[in-house]
Amino acid sequence: MFRPRRLRSNPQIRNLVRETTLSVNDFIYPMFIEEGENIRKEIISMPGIYRTSIDRLDAELQELVDLGINSIMLFGIPKKKDAIGSESWNSEGVVQQAARYIKAKYPQLYLVADICFCEYTDHGHCGVLDGETVNNDETLLNLEKQTLSMAEAGFDMLAPSGMMDGGIGVMRDVLDLNGYENMPLMAYAVKYSSAFYGPFRDAADSAPSFGDRKTYQMDPANRLEAIKEATLDLQQGADILMVKPALSYLDIIREVKDQFDVPIAAYNVSGEYAMVKAAAANGWIDGEKVMLEKLMSMKRAGADIILTYHAKEAAKLLI
Ligand code: PBG
């Protein structure tokens, strides 16, 4: 009889035959940088995650370095918002300042910028409004400005999350024309319109003031459309393809991984984090074990890179 249990009988053999491993090198840790001074505010729906002003960043940055976490993604929370999100291309904007600060003091950290407008617009949508919907091509003009501003601020990689058609191509062109031909683009290629972003919108003050994002983010029911989106972004010059959210979309991660020969990233989003934290706080699950199982499942599904708020906790357990 063939007995699969032979290879499960002790930790040593299980370690030898394990097919997937998680490493601190897989993680990108997202951080929320708020404009102002002396700010270090925990986000209620995301225990352990903070909004921090630049002058209070050092302790956490040092902690990341000590844990061996090499990559972070920055989200900015500006004081000033307007209809078009113009603060997002201000060279003295909060994220641009943070990038310069971090690059100078922690050169070993790889810095990724989330490129979007929802944190910078007073209506919370991801671009310029035309009535009740986002005008794609006008938003692309501003996307060029934001792209250049973030590149000039010193980011190592740009990650556009706005789901505008043609966005990757516009970014690639403006980067190439300005001497940033080596700047990689990690496209939020397959980004669903998801209720799992709820806590993030509190964290980044970016909830839409009316309506939803269904006219630009994808319908969770669609699989073939994921292939179309990924294909388009690759044609326009994406270097890495992201699927977001992760946990309810593991099938999509696998599909994209099998179809394309570029690195795949998965965004383990705020709602996925909050659910684990809430259940663990109630004593209903073992939070650490569930977290590692969840991250492992993303890796097993095909993610090469995982953006996760759990990065620090996971790193401590993986060391
Ligand atoms: C910006 C953006 C969002 C997230 C990442 N970038 C919010 C959204 O699209 O509403 C969500 C991240 C998370 O939930 O952790 N467009």
Side-chain angles (χ1 to χ4, degrees):
M1 178 160 65
F2 186 67
R3 296 178 183 273
R5 288 184 56 185
R6 287 181 196 128
L7 301 186
R8 294 180 200 139
S9 58
N10 59 51
Q12 292 83 351
I13 185 67
R14 289 197 297 272
N15 285 343
L16 281 173
V17 300
R18 183 163 299 123
E19 297 173 41
T20 312
T21 49
L22 266 181
S23 147
V24 68
N25 291 325
D26 303 331
F27 301 143
I28 299 178
Y29 181 63
M31 298 180 79
F32 299 97
I33 318 292
E34 182 162 351
E35 188 170 355
E37 269 116 60
N38 201 21
I39 302 166
R40 179 79 177 154
K41 266 193 308 232
E42 191 169 24
I43 297 152
I44 291 168
S45 53
M46 300 174 73
I49 304 296
Y50 293 77
R51 292 175 173 212
T52 313
S53 52
I54 296 173
D55 59 341
R56 296 280 303 270
L57 272 177
D58 281 312
E60 192 166 23
L61 293 170
Q62 193 54 53
E63 186 188 3
L64 291 165
V65 170
D66 294 343
L67 287 168
I69 294 169
N70 306 310
S71 307
I72 59 178
M73 175 183 262
L74 301 188
F75 292 95
I77 306 161
K79 274 190 183 150
K80 190 179 134 259
K81 302 192 185 210
D82 62 19
I84 58 173
S86 61
E87 189 62 16
S88 68
W89 63 84
N90 176 359
S91 61
E92 295 306 316
V94 59
V95 148
Q96 287 86 343
Q97 286 191 37
R100 287 194 292 267
Y101 178 79
I102 296 169
K103 270 280 128 187
K105 207 158 170 190
Y106 304 88
Q108 63 272 63
L109 284 175
Y110 191 80
L111 264 193
V112 185
D114 177 88
I115 303 290
C116 195
F117 293 97
C118 62
E119 301 111 85
Y120 300 93
T121 53
D122 49 19
H123 45 72
H125 278 285
C126 302
V128 180
L129 285 184
D130 194 352
E132 298 254 299
T133 187
V134 173
N135 182 313
N136 194 87
D137 296 6
E138 269 185 46
T139 301
L140 294 185
L141 299 175
N142 293 340
L143 183 60
E144 288 182 350
K145 298 180 203 162
Q146 186 182 156
T147 298
L148 203 49
S149 175
M150 296 300 180
E152 284 165 355
F155 279 100
D156 295 299
M157 179 157 81
L158 306 183
S161 66
M163 289 297 282
M164 291 301 119
D165 295 335
I168 305 299
V170 160
M171 290 180 69
R172 190 68 271 158
D173 286 349
V174 78
L175 289 167
D176 291 354
L177 281 171
N178 288 279
Y180 295 104
E181 58 277 352
N182 289 322
M183 173 73 79
L185 293 178
M186 176 164 68
Y188 285 67
V190 184
K191 180 173 178 183
Y192 289 93
S193 176
S194 171
F196 285 99
Y197 306 150
F200 173 94
R201 292 178 186 172
D202 299 334
D205 271 346
S206 64
S209 59
F210 64 88
D212 52 41
R213 302 206 203 289
K214 290 194 174 118
T215 64
Y216 40 104
Q217 298 180 348
M218 284 172 57
D219 182 341
N222 293 353
R223 180 177 65 86
L224 295 176
E225 195 184 6
I227 305 300
K228 185 171 22 169
E229 281 283 0
T231 303
L232 286 169
D233 282 4
L234 271 184
Q235 285 167 351
Q236 292 169 43
D239 300 285
I240 298 173
L241 296 172
M242 193 199 296
V243 175
K244 179 180 171 198
L247 209 49
S248 297
Y249 299 85
L250 296 175
D251 56 330
I252 306 294
I253 296 174
R254 168 51 56 194
E255 184 104 16
V256 172
K257 175 70 178 173
D258 284 347
Q259 299 248 3
F260 303 98
D261 58 1
V262 295
I264 305 301
Y267 200 136
N268 175 208
V269 300
S270 56
E272 298 168 351
Y273 176 85
M275 290 194 303
V276 175
K277 289 290 166 194
N282 275 296
W284 296 339
I285 59 169
D286 180 327
E288 288 187 346
K289 288 194 176 131
V290 168
M291 165 188 71
L292 288 178
E293 188 173 330
K294 194 173 79 149
L295 295 171
M296 182 65 82
S297 74
M298 293 165 200
K299 194 82 190 286
R300 191 194 61 232
D304 301 289
I305 299 168
I306 303 173
L307 293 105
T308 181
Y309 305 101
H310 291 297
K312 291 194 295 177
E313 308 162 79
K316 286 175 199 157
L317 298 170
L318 292 172
I319 282 167

